[in-house]
Amino acid sequence: MSAYLDHAATTPMRTSAREAWVEQAQRGGNPSSLHTSGRAARAVVEESREQIADALGARPSEVVFTSGGTEADNLAVKGTYAARHRSVGATRLVASGIEHHAVLDPVQHLVRRQGAEVSWLEPDRCGHIAVDDLRAALDGAGPDSVAVVSVMWANNEVGTVQPVAELAAVAREAGVPFHTDAVQAVGQLPVDFAQSGADLLTVSAHKVGGPVGVGALLARRDAPLVPLVHGGGQERHVRSGTLDAAGIRAFAVALTEAVAEQEVAAARLTALRDRLVTGALGLDLGITVSGCWTAGDATGRLPGNAHLLVPGCEGDSLLYLLDAAGVECSTGSACQAGVPRPSHVLLAMGYEEAEARGALRLSLGHTSTESDVDAFLAALPAVVERARRASGAA
């Protein structure tokens, strides 16, 4: 049995969510149909929407279902840019340099294809985005020149948590919509849409124990959005397409459970993470922790995130050797798997390319156990030795 330490990529479906999915999938029905089956499916969708809104401090009308986090991020960035460009002539975007590629790539697309300009907010060595840097990026710019600000709630690679409420307040003061990708944060940290002050927030089902292929963009009713997908006009006319009632039901069940367990789960995961990090540092292999880590901290860094730098090794070699030893983990974002280049997150944080190449991300979740940590620590010394020989460093 493998030790699964890649929950940041996807976490196993919760039993309750799987059962809810099967039950609804067996019923069928298109939520847009007017007959009995259609109305029943619509009722399930709307009940699920209410559950998700309640769990995340939002109104049901603010929940826009999507196919997942990537689509929600694209809708937030491209849809807001199009709306603001059309209405007030905005041509600039402001985003952190450590965003997930689901935000970075849409921003770069708008720069290449539509002549947009971008101001990048660069992190410090811990991965924090400074509130004053956002203020400086917006100062002097007319409120109509910037289309949207996007800063993720918690980083998917190094786990750094951002001061979202403070950043959102600065953007609101400047009259600019604020988006945050909270895909990694939900279930590990308290996430309240209304209290955050954000205009747009991204969440994905498969990061909280729901199915792959469903997520949501929480969007304030006054958030300007132009649809990217046209068709039947579902989801406030900003996201057309037949709704996946079974997926949405499972999403709601998983999210509700994850949020209800968040405080207890955070304490458990923090203890596991700290034992993993302390154990790795104690192996006398020269390993260091990426970003800032303090034992017991469950607010400044994601409770389930451990990100290590192993000198003299290539991250992909470490990954494959650990996999062969029965330990599944990542070198960073799974969306960039197989691409032999160092993490843009680590480079933005000031790490040298050689340092960044030896990165390992170990992420814990609701199925993680002490034995998973034990398996990793037991396998690591031999794996590092082999990886260093392969790279010529040993």
Side-chain angles (χ1 to χ4, degrees):
M1 193 72 168
S2 293
Y4 185 73
L5 295 172
D6 202 16
H7 290 262
T10 196
T11 196
M13 278 187 75
R14 295 169 182 268
T15 301
S16 56
R18 185 168 59 249
E19 291 173 349
W21 187 92
V22 171
E23 181 183 359
Q24 181 56 38
Q26 290 173 333
R27 292 175 181 167
N30 186 327
S32 296
S33 298
L34 300 180
H35 49 58
T36 302
S37 295
R39 294 197 306 273
R42 169 58 66 179
V44 166
V45 167
E46 297 310 321
E47 288 166 7
S48 300
R49 194 189 306 274
E50 290 174 6
Q51 273 187 269
I52 291 168
D54 184 61
L56 296 176
R59 297 178 179 140
S61 62
E62 294 173 326
V63 178
V64 177
F65 288 118
T66 67
S67 63
T70 295
E71 185 190 349
D73 281 344
N74 272 259
L75 177 57
V77 174
K78 294 179 183 174
T80 305
Y81 180 85
R84 295 267 294 165
H85 183 66
R86 177 185 301 174
S87 64
V88 298
T91 58
R92 193 152 67 94
L93 304 126
V94 178
S96 87
I98 56 172
E99 294 300 299
H100 189 280
H101 279 278
V103 168
L104 290 183
D105 289 2
V107 167
Q108 291 166 345
H109 169 85
L110 291 171
V111 170
R112 289 193 307 268
R113 298 298 180 89
Q114 297 191 29
E117 299 175 10
V118 58
S119 297
W120 296 110
L121 304 173
E122 298 303 343
D124 62 16
R125 187 74 171 186
C126 289
H128 292 121
I129 300 300
V131 175
D132 286 344
D133 286 351
L134 174 58
R135 186 175 286 111
L138 297 177
D139 277 352
D144 295 340
S145 68
V146 180
V148 64
V149 174
S150 186
V151 180
M152 66 198 325
W153 198 302
N155 186 260
N156 55 297
E157 292 191 31
V158 299
T160 304
V161 180
Q162 304 298 345
V164 169
E166 295 175 58
L167 294 164
V170 169
R172 183 166 294 278
E173 184 180 338
V176 178
F178 181 86
H179 165 248
T180 185
D181 179 334
V183 164
Q184 296 292 334
V186 172
Q188 292 208 44
L189 303 170
V191 173
D192 187 296
F193 182 52
Q195 290 184 12
S196 74
D199 299 281
L200 303 146
L201 182 149
T202 295
V203 61
S204 183
H206 75 108
K207 303 300 173 80
V208 295
V212 174
V214 61
L217 178 67
L218 306 190
R220 287 168 52 98
R221 291 295 301 185
D222 60 355
L225 281 174
V226 167
L228 306 184
V229 178
H230 300 85
Q234 293 91 340
E235 298 304 280
R236 287 168 44 180
H237 294 277
V238 296
R239 200 280 182 179
S240 292
T242 300
L243 293 170
D244 175 7
I248 288 169
R249 177 66 184 137
F251 178 17
V253 168
L255 178 64
T256 301
E257 191 173 293
V259 169
E261 296 174 352
Q262 182 270 318
E263 188 174 354
V264 172
R268 187 181 76 86
L269 293 180
T270 300
L272 279 178
R273 177 203 68 193
D274 290 348
R275 196 165 79 79
L276 185 154
V277 171
T278 303
L281 297 181
L283 292 173
D284 197 27
L285 296 171
I287 293 171
T288 56
V289 181
S290 319
C292 292
W293 164 72
T294 302
D297 175 26
T299 58
R301 186 182 187 120
L302 287 174
N305 175 280
H307 200 276
L308 307 177
L309 295 180
V310 187
C313 298
E314 292 289 330
D316 53 354
S317 295
L318 292 168
L319 185 153
Y320 293 127
L321 288 167
L322 282 167
D323 189 41
V327 178
E328 298 178 333
C329 61
S330 171
T331 57
S333 171
C335 302
Q336 294 297 300
V339 180
R341 61 184 182 218
S343 159
H344 72 280
V345 172
L346 294 177
L347 296 181
M349 289 166 61
Y351 288 92
E352 296 295 328
E353 185 169 323
E355 294 178 281
R357 286 190 178 278
L360 275 182
R361 181 185 69 180
L362 300 309
S363 48
L364 303 147
H366 68 102
T367 64
S368 296
T369 64
E370 297 280 354
S371 63
D372 293 331
V373 174
D374 292 339
F376 169 69
L377 295 176
L380 192 57
V383 162
V384 170
E385 182 184 355
R386 290 185 62 188
R388 284 176 175 163
R389 283 206 308 267
S391 68

